[in-house]
Amino acid sequence: MRMADTPIQAPTQSLLADRTTGPRRSHGQYIRWVLLMFGGIVMVMPIAYMLATSFKYSFEVHTLSLIPQEPTLENYLFVLEDGRFYTWFGNSLFIATVTTLSNVLFDSLVGYALCKFRFPGRYIFFIAVLSTLMIPTEMLVIPWYLMSSTLGWLDTSWGIMFPGLMTAFGTFLMKQFFETVPDDFLEAARIDGLNELQIWWTVAMPLVKPALAALAIFVFLGNWTAFIWPLIVTTSQDMYTLPVGLTTFSDEVDVEWELIMTGAAISTIPTLIVFVIFQRFIIRGVVMAGLKG
Amino acid sequence: MATLSLRNLVKTYGDTQVLHGINLEIGSGEFVVLVGPSGCGKSTTLRMIAGLEEITAGEVHIAGRVVNNLEPKDRDIAMVFQNYAIYPHMSVRKNIGFGLRTAKISAKDKLGRLEEVAEILGLGELLDRKPSQLSGGQRQRVAIGRAMVRNPAAFLFDEPLSNLDAQLRTQMRLEIKKLHQRVGNTIVFVTHDQVEAMTMADRIVIMKDGHIQQVGSPLDVFYNPANMFVAQFIGAPSMNLMPGVWSNGAVSLDKGGLVPATGVKIRQGASVVLGLRPDDLRVTQEAGLFTGTVEVTEPLGSETLVHVSAGGQEIIAKAAGKHPPVLGSSVHLTASPDALHLFDKNTGEALL
Ligand SMILES: Nc1ncnc2c1ncn2[C@@H]1O[C@H](COP(=O)(O)OP(=O)(O)O)[C@@H](O)[C@H]1O
Ligand SMILES: [Mg+2]
């Protein structure tokens, strides 16, 4: 009680002082806030419509209102009672998880080798890896398809996964991050008797955790939402991934938006979980990737 | 503890040769400091001993055996790096214990070793902290601890104090020296700081451009520098060097002045360089070797550095701290004859 007077006084004064001394700065700040808010709305709208639509009956789908007139859970019941949904969800989860683990492991192994070892052809190899970044997926699906068909990989999990088990981007990202690990650390471990694999695993990998987390998120999201290649390589509904499976809710005559949006809404759950787990790393990871990339 | 010897050690990177035949014998338990300007090949030498750098030619012997083809871990050495190289993601305990990971001793012995080392280095309280929670000096102690637990034949230090502030550096210098007196392992210590070299070493190895210039005790290299480079490198402020011509038992300096220098066997008219340490020059009012005006004074407390301009050359002398000569006044500088150094101007070799 006795102390109440002073703390209240002080902030008021400093606020006033701010306002009188720096009017321009606060104008700039308002503009920035408005812009950010606008950006935020643009980002959030599709998600809001997705959620809104998932609670609407089909007659209401083509109205722009965000609040359903007759909210319903029927879409969710329908999607969740359809056994295929679980199969697709499982397929997507399996493929995204395996691909993520594979990338985290192999991209960092190759990135580490490219960064920390001097060997003949190192530079050429690195350029070769980088140059694959310039070829878009659309150009690659036909060779992939021919390859899969020759090797009997069509309509298999392996067929869906194999193109993404390692990525040039991930390799490049990890190589850049390993540059931040001082050579002294590795040499100290070498003197202490660790072999090169042990050094990579016990010394270098823990030091690039932020990059690993960022890579894991990029790869997981990329594979979770991948559409073109899974659509091409799979033929039976049992092998579909979630994004491919959701398209079966539409046919030539009619697109059942409310069901697609419900499936999409459910499918964001794992990505949210991945985000929550890795969120404290991702900002740094993205910033670094932006800086170095 | 072990002896260490380098025989004709050569290192080339591509076409550039950075070490030109290093020969050095280090006794068991000796504290040897490699010192020299940046880029002279100190680290390369140390890293070749450690096995981190391939040996182009020559041999490294540790405890009597050639280790050229042994992996770093099999050479029975430990190294402390400039940036400590302690792992930020491991606690102090783990970091120190890391050196014992591959040691073939029981878990109980490992724990004993770890505790002993932590005790010696005063890290007992800090074992569960992460390196980010430690001060620079404590981090360096952890790095030393990690080297110590293995009780290696030799410790290699590569500029371990360079990242510390001046005060801490002085303190750690003393700690490492005490540590050496206590555990007695062979130490090879690299630094570019001649004060560090002088204060810590049993023997100093002065290097320049991949060549050893002189090997000797700190006092030896200070009082009997083998050449002009060593003379200038060791001691602060640097030795005054004045070119001239020798004839008839005296050096006639190019910029004026005649300084008697006897006992040298060189030909008449030889080009020489006269060397005089600031410490050996006294500022007097009576006539001396040089006469000049006081240009700048730098008070250091216990003494004052006096920059005297004498006939176009600047000479630095040390004067008493309390009553230094007045700026702009005319003074004389004298030195006792045995303080004189004389070098061959062409080869830089000491003549006296
Ligand atoms: N990996 C390398 N490739 C080429 N030159 C190198 C390499 N490492 C060191 N050098 C050169 O070798 C010389 C000695 O380096 P170093 O031993 O690190 O000097 P310092 O005495 O400062 O420790 C320097 O001129 C340096 O440029
Ligand atoms: Mg060095």
Side-chain angles (χ1 to χ4, degrees), chain B residues 69-342:
Chain B
N69 295 320
L70 291 185
E71 292 286 310
K73 64 175 162 49
D74 300 322
R75 295 191 180 195
D76 197 16
I77 44 93
M79 188 154 166
V80 178
F81 294 84
Q82 178 173 351
N83 70 13
Y84 323 137
I86 55 175
Y87 306 127
H89 58 288
M90 296 180 193
S91 65
V92 169
R93 184 190 306 280
K94 277 235 174 99
N95 263 293
I96 296 180
F98 205 80
L100 288 176
R101 266 178 68 109
T102 53
K104 290 180 185 66
I105 54 173
S106 73
K108 193 163 146 271
D109 287 352
K110 283 186 185 177
L111 193 69
R113 280 263 194 92
L114 199 148
E115 274 167 1
E116 187 191 333
V117 166
E119 209 268 321
I120 292 176
L121 293 169
L123 292 169
E125 310 283 289
L126 308 173
L127 281 177
D128 294 311
R129 293 217 194 152
K130 284 275 173 67
S132 58
Q133 298 165 300
L134 300 178
S135 68
Q138 288 168 335
R139 281 180 210 179
Q140 195 50 273
R141 256 179 249 146
V142 174
I144 295 171
R146 202 173 83 191
M148 275 175 64
V149 276
R150 285 178 33 222
N151 196 22
F155 285 112
L156 310 175
F157 287 85
D158 193 355
E159 311 224 10
L161 308 182
S162 304
N163 287 358
L164 304 178
D165 61 49
Q167 200 181 349
L168 205 53
R169 196 150 58 211
T170 316
Q171 187 192 331
M172 285 302 295
R173 207 161 73 194
L174 193 67
E175 275 188 39
I176 293 177
K177 195 169 176 174
K178 278 187 189 161
L179 196 70
H180 175 245
Q181 282 160 4
R182 180 165 172 179
V183 298
N185 293 51
T186 310
I187 291 182
V188 185
F189 189 105
V190 161
T191 178
H192 64 268
D193 180 350
Q194 57 94 15
V195 178
E196 243 169 57
M198 291 290 282
T199 50
M200 299 175 86
D202 292 333
R203 261 194 318 154
I204 293 184
V205 178
I206 297 148
M207 294 177 65
K208 181 196 168 199
D209 297 337
H211 294 278
I212 290 184
Q213 300 293 308
Q214 187 173 5
V215 181
S217 72
L219 296 183
D220 196 27
V221 297
F222 184 82
Y223 287 109
N224 304 306
N227 56 40
M228 253 190 321
F229 175 78
V230 174
Q232 273 220 306
F233 192 79
I234 301 289
S238 284
M239 183 185 280
N240 297 294
L241 293 176
M242 295 162 259
V245 174
W246 188 85
S247 58
N248 299 324
V251 180
S252 141
L253 298 175
D254 293 354
K255 297 200 171 162
L258 197 69
V259 180
T262 48
V264 277
K265 288 202 181 73
I266 41 172
R267 63 179 173 82
Q268 292 283 334
S271 294
V272 294
V273 175
L274 183 77
L276 271 169
R277 290 205 181 276
D279 320 57
D280 293 327
L281 282 165
R282 268 171 299 117
V283 181
T284 64
Q285 294 307 321
E286 307 111 53
L289 290 176
F290 307 99
T291 308
T293 39
V294 178
E295 298 260 287
V296 185
T297 57
E298 298 178 87
L300 300 173
S302 61
E303 60 205 14
T304 298
L305 302 181
V306 186
H307 297 243
V308 177
S309 168
Q313 62 196 357
E314 184 165 301
I315 303 173
I316 305 179
K318 273 186 190 166
K322 230 172 192 171
H323 303 289
V326 185
L327 216 63
S329 66
S330 177
V331 292
H332 303 280
L333 301 173
T334 62
S336 90
D338 57 359
L340 229 61
H341 297 272
L342 207 58

Side-chain angles (χ1 to χ4, degrees), chain A residues 182-196 198 202-204 206-207 209, chain B residues 47 50 52 72-73 77-79 81 83 85-90 98-99 101-102 146 150:
Chain A
D183 289 345
D184 287 2
F185 282 18
L186 314 179
E187 290 175 344
R190 221 160 272 158
I191 290 176
D192 283 341
L194 272 68
N195 65 38
E196 296 303 324
Q198 287 173 316
T202 54
V203 178
L207 294 173
K209 266 187 199 158
Chain B
R47 292 163 57 80
L52 296 171
K73 64 175 162 49
I77 44 93
M79 188 154 166
F81 294 84
N83 70 13
I86 55 175
Y87 306 127
H89 58 288
M90 296 180 193
F98 205 80
R101 266 178 68 109
T102 53
R146 202 173 83 191
R150 285 178 33 222

Side-chain angles (χ1 to χ4, degrees), chain A residues 76-88:
Chain A
Y76 283 88
L77 291 177
F78 183 86
V79 168
L80 291 177
E81 272 168 14
D82 187 336
R84 296 177 305 167
F85 182 82
Y86 297 99
T87 312
W88 302 333

Side-chain angles (χ1 to χ4, degrees), chain A residues 257-270:
Chain A
W257 284 114
E258 70 283 7
L259 294 183
I260 292 179
M261 288 303 139
T262 306
I266 299 173
S267 77
T268 57
I269 293 171

Side-chain angles (χ1 to χ4, degrees), chain A residues 128-168:
Chain A
V129 169
L130 271 193
S131 59
T132 65
L133 277 177
M134 293 162 207
I135 307 169
T137 311
E138 288 78 358
M139 270 179 70
L140 289 169
V141 287
I142 294 171
W144 286 344
Y145 187 86
L146 294 175
M147 187 174 156
S148 306
S149 112
T150 320
L151 295 170
W153 294 347
L154 290 179
D155 210 28
T156 61
S157 293
W158 175 254
I160 304 173
M161 283 190 295
F162 84 91
L165 287 176
M166 270 193 70
T167 56

